[in-house]
Amino acid sequence: MALPDQIKAQLKSLYASPSNELPHINRMRAESDANCCPMCGSFHSGTLDHLLPKTDFPAFAIFGRNLVPACKCNSKRSTLLTGPNPGERILHPYYDDILGERLFVARFDEPGSVPRITLRPLLDPHDPNYTAVRFHMANIVERTSIMRYLKTSWMGVLRRPSLAAAELRNVPATRQDLEDILTLELDRQDDTHGSKNNWRSVFIAGLLDDPVLDWLIAAFQRPNYHPDGPLLDGIV
């Protein structure tokens, strides 16, 4: 049954200015500046926002499980919740345990000064969560500035490899050494930010793709390379 307009307005007002009887809202606001946004993985300052929009679902305006710490990706999403095809929906930070797994990584095609950068989902297409993860990635994550972040991070590594992992200030002796360094750094970033889908982990995980590892170790081992120097000539 639809709520009367007066009750809708009251519930929205309670969220905007919670009374002492609703301490969870102020507490969640105070704690909302999380390590990273649980919706998109960015490091932008968090806000307390509604997953089910309070304009369409006023009954959940003050419901704690509908209030999620998120960055501006949630406002870009607007009221989008599901897609036209079966299984297409955004993921919920409180109810979708799949968000605790590594869902996607950066993909660097044709590594070099200007690689083509995309996001690569990791789930098997037959996984029951695959459709939801792809929908969430396309409609939440890819609407952010993550591609610009990945491009900037790649350019930083070309200029100074230790920006990806401090241990890369020294030249890795073998491809396996390089892989071990980046794997350790990936674990460190996962732990630091409390998510395997934070943007830094998405970037580092992309460096661990076989073609990228091959390209990196070749750049490290080229003649006259100076430790922690540019991986390509002409990069400053």
Side-chain angles (χ1 to χ4, degrees):
M1 184 176 67
L3 292 176
D5 290 341
Q6 182 179 4
I7 294 180
K8 291 181 182 180
Q10 288 174 340
L11 289 170
K12 293 177 185 179
S13 176
L14 282 173
Y15 170 75
S17 300
S19 66
N20 292 334
E21 287 73 29
L22 298 171
H24 67 280
I25 296 180
N26 284 330
R27 183 177 67 253
M28 293 177 72
R29 281 176 176 157
E31 297 172 351
S32 65
D33 193 9
N35 286 329
C36 70
C37 174
M39 296 289 287
C40 74
S42 81
F43 304 121
H44 301 157
S45 297
T47 60
L48 189 64
D49 218 340
H50 294 83
L51 192 131
L52 298 176
K54 61 181 182 295
T55 52
D56 297 333
F57 300 90
F60 296 102
I62 57 175
F63 178 52
R65 288 295 177 178
N66 191 41
L67 306 177
V68 298
C71 72
K72 57 187 177 183
C73 70
N74 201 49
S75 59
K76 287 185 177 181
R77 171 180 67 90
S78 186
T79 60
L80 179 68
L81 294 172
T82 60
N85 301 309
E88 291 183 340
R89 63 179 180 84
I90 63 169
L91 301 176
H92 197 302
Y94 298 145
Y95 297 115
D96 284 300
D97 294 338
I98 189 78
L99 282 168
E101 301 178 20
R102 199 178 312 283
L103 300 179
F104 47 85
V105 301
R107 178 171 179 171
F108 301 99
D109 287 317
E110 300 180 10
S113 58
V114 188
R116 185 168 65 90
I117 305 174
T118 56
L119 293 181
R120 176 170 66 88
L122 296 179
L123 265 65
D124 185 282
H126 299 292
D127 189 290
N129 292 300
Y130 180 78
T131 301
V133 169
R134 284 299 301 261
F135 185 81
H136 187 93
M137 189 178 79
N139 291 282
I140 300 293
V141 182
E142 291 181 348
R143 289 188 180 186
T144 69
S145 57
I146 188 172
M147 296 305 178
R148 183 166 67 247
Y149 174 87
L150 295 174
K151 178 181 178 182
T152 300
S153 298
W154 176 263
M155 294 305 297
V157 171
L158 294 186
R159 178 173 56 84
R160 186 178 178 185
S162 64
L163 292 177
E167 292 85 350
L168 292 181
R169 62 184 178 275
N170 300 313
V171 179
T174 67
R175 184 184 186 279
Q176 187 60 55
D177 289 336
L178 173 60
E179 184 174 354
D180 290 345
I181 288 170
L182 291 175
T183 299
L184 178 63
E185 182 63 24
L186 179 60
D187 181 69
R188 182 183 298 127
Q189 294 299 328
D190 290 348
D191 191 47
T192 297
H193 301 294
S195 167
K196 294 180 179 180
N197 298 299
N198 74 83
W199 288 6
R200 191 64 182 169
S201 289
V202 170
F203 172 68
I204 299 297
L207 299 183
L208 283 162
D209 278 347
D210 285 337
V212 182
L213 284 172
D214 292 340
W215 186 90
L216 289 172
I217 196 63
F220 277 118
Q221 295 180 345
R222 76 185 195 279
N224 302 318
Y225 174 75
H226 297 287
D228 211 18
L231 293 176
L232 285 175
D233 295 333
I235 300 291
V236 295

